[in-house]
């Protein structure tokens, strides 16, 4: 009974969960930002279908490589620090991709910049995803940890589901559009996916907390 009295549950845990979930939504947008407009990206950059698909596949590949280190960093420095590092990577990737078409005209050069920025963004995503259970363990009581972890995972899945149609709407590229129209649509998508992580980074660092004042449970 004395041990139980030491634990306290805070309502602020839902704020932390919401904004952690927001990070997972945004990483989904960054990951598949090219996939819904695949054919348009091919024409805009003059690359093959496989090359465009690699822009989406490189993210999960980077997760395999860095997830162990990302988890270790979260154990040593905390989930907010590790997730923050990931969001900074995602911000950098998004900003560079948004600026690229305005300063580089070569489609081939643009492609390789996008490819390496997708690698960077995928690495950043790993730092967020590996904290799916770390955050609930710190903020939620034992009987709510599975639920909160499930809600965080649901955020990522909702991000993927929302990104597919929303990117198509933002791009607004007609089926037989000319190259200038396609490039303008791609630029809108890249700008949108650059603004998202920057806004999330600011909100996350302002409102997210590493842990409650007292433990929420064992």
């Amino acid at each position: 009974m004395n041990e139980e009295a030491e634990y306290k549950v805070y309502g602020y845990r839902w704020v932390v969960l919401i904004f952690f979930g927001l990070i997972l939504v945004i990483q989904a947008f960054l990951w598949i930002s090219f996939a819904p407009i695949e054919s348009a990206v091919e024409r805009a950059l003059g690359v093959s279908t496989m090359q465009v698909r690699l822009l989406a596949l490189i993210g999960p590949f980077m997760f395999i490589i860095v997830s162990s280190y990302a988890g270790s960093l979260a154990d040593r420095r905390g989930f907010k620090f590790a997730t923050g590092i990931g969001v900074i990577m995602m911000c950098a990737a998004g900003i560079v991709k948004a600026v690229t078409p305005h300063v580089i005209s070569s489609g081939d050069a643009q492609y390789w910049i996008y490819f390496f920025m997708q690698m960077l963004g995928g690495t950043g995503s790993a730092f967020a995803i590996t904290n799916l259970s770390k955050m609930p363990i710190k903020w939620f009581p034992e009987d709510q940890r599975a639920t909160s972890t499930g809600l965080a995972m649901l955020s990522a899945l909702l991000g993927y589901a929302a990104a597919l149609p929303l990117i198509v709407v933002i791009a607004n590229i007609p089926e037989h559009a000319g190259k200038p129209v396609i490039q303008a649509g791609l630029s809108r998508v890249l700008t949108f996916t650059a603004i998202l992580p920057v806004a999330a980074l600011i909100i996350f660092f302002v409102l997210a907390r590493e842990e409650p004042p007292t433990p929420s449970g064992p």
Side-chain angles (χ1 to χ4, degrees):
M1 294 296 293
N2 289 334
E3 290 185 358
E4 292 180 1
E6 296 176 0
Y7 302 130
K8 183 178 178 180
V9 179
Y10 295 84
Y12 198 79
R13 69 192 186 280
W14 297 109
V15 175
V16 178
L17 178 62
I18 287 170
F19 288 106
F20 180 69
L22 178 63
I23 299 300
L24 298 179
V25 169
I26 290 171
Q27 67 83 29
F29 272 81
L30 291 173
W31 176 25
I32 62 172
S33 55
F34 296 101
I37 53 173
E38 182 180 279
S39 60
V41 176
E42 289 176 37
R43 286 181 283 164
L45 304 182
V47 296
S48 68
T49 301
M50 180 55 67
Q51 285 178 289
V52 177
R53 289 177 181 173
L54 283 174
L55 295 175
L57 294 174
I58 192 63
F61 180 74
M62 297 308 299
F63 177 84
I64 294 171
I65 295 175
V66 304
S67 59
S68 294
Y69 173 75
S72 174
L73 181 65
D75 287 337
R76 289 183 282 110
R77 299 294 300 274
F79 89 88
K80 183 178 178 180
F81 179 86
T83 302
I85 292 294
V87 180
I88 290 172
M89 291 182 189
M90 289 189 278
C91 283
I95 291 170
V96 171
K97 287 191 295 182
V99 170
T100 294
H102 300 287
V103 297
I104 297 176
S105 58
S106 169
D108 189 59
Q110 287 180 20
Y111 172 81
W112 287 109
I113 292 173
Y114 297 151
F115 181 82
F116 287 115
M117 289 305 101
Q118 287 293 95
M119 288 181 65
L120 180 62
T123 301
S125 296
F127 281 81
I129 295 173
T130 51
N131 285 290
L132 274 172
S133 60
K134 188 76 173 178
M135 185 278 296
I137 287 173
K138 289 192 171 185
W139 277 95
F140 286 81
E142 282 187 291
D143 60 351
Q144 294 181 0
R145 288 173 185 168
T147 300
S148 56
T149 301
L151 290 173
M153 177 60 76
L154 180 61
S155 299
L157 298 176
L158 288 175
Y160 300 133
L164 290 170
L166 190 55
I167 286 174
V168 173
V169 171
I170 293 170
N172 191 27
I173 301 173
E175 186 176 353
H176 301 292
K179 193 170 182 178
V181 174
I182 294 173
Q183 290 174 329
L186 177 59
S187 182
R188 284 193 296 272
V189 170
L190 295 176
T191 300
F192 177 74
T193 55
I195 292 172
L196 283 180
V198 172
L201 177 66
I202 296 170
I203 294 172
F204 182 75
F205 274 113
V206 170
L207 296 178
R209 301 288 183 270
E210 175 62 34
E211 56 189 9
T214 58
S216 59

